[in-house]
């Protein structure tokens, strides 16, 4: 049984409901993409070796199973726009 991260965005121009499987989120490719994005778009000097990346992804996957259903982002603006992210 797959766990999914749920992302819900409700705005004037957009209504989006995504279910992203853990297998797409918690892998070394995702970690590499995050690292490259941070290096290109921030001043944060951050890098992680492959073994550490694998361990971080394993722990995140475990966390998402342990706390399934936990809302980690829940924002609603005064004009009714909503962003929610749930494990």
């Amino acid at each position: 049984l797959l766990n999914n991260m749920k992302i819900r965005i409700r705005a004037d121009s957009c209504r989006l409901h995504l279910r992203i499987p853990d297998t797409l989120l918690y892998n070394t490719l995702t970690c590499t993409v995050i690292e490259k994005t941070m290096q290109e778009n921030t001043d944060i000097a951050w890098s992680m070796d492959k073994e550490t990346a694998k361990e971080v992804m394993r722990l995140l996957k475990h966390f998402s199973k342990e706390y399934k259903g936990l809302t980690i982002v829940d924002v609603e603006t005064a004009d009714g726009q909503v962003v929610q992210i749930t494990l």
Side-chain angles (χ1 to χ4, degrees):
L1 186 63
L2 289 174
N3 288 332
N4 295 302
M5 177 179 282
K6 298 171 191 93
I7 300 175
R8 182 177 145 221
I9 300 172
R10 188 179 72 220
D12 295 336
S13 62
C14 173
R15 288 191 187 275
L16 180 65
H17 294 265
L18 296 174
R19 291 180 181 267
I20 303 172
D22 284 354
T23 53
L24 290 178
L25 287 174
Y26 307 124
N27 58 56
T28 53
L29 175 62
T30 301
C31 192
T32 302
V33 169
I34 291 169
E35 181 177 1
K36 288 186 188 267
T37 302
M38 287 180 66
Q39 289 172 348
E40 292 171 3
N41 297 300
T42 69
D43 293 330
I44 299 170
W46 184 74
S47 67
M48 188 180 300
D49 63 63
K50 287 190 185 273
E51 289 305 311
T52 303
K54 285 180 183 178
E55 182 65 12
V56 167
M57 292 299 125
R58 186 187 70 74
L59 290 170
L60 287 172
K61 189 173 183 177
H62 173 75
F63 180 82
S64 72
K65 287 179 182 178
E66 183 77 20
Y67 296 98
K68 186 177 180 173
L70 176 69
T71 300
I72 55 175
V73 174
D74 190 358
V75 178
E76 184 169 354
T77 64
D79 59 351
Q81 297 183 44
V82 174
V83 174
Q84 291 178 327
I85 300 176
T86 306
L87 296 178

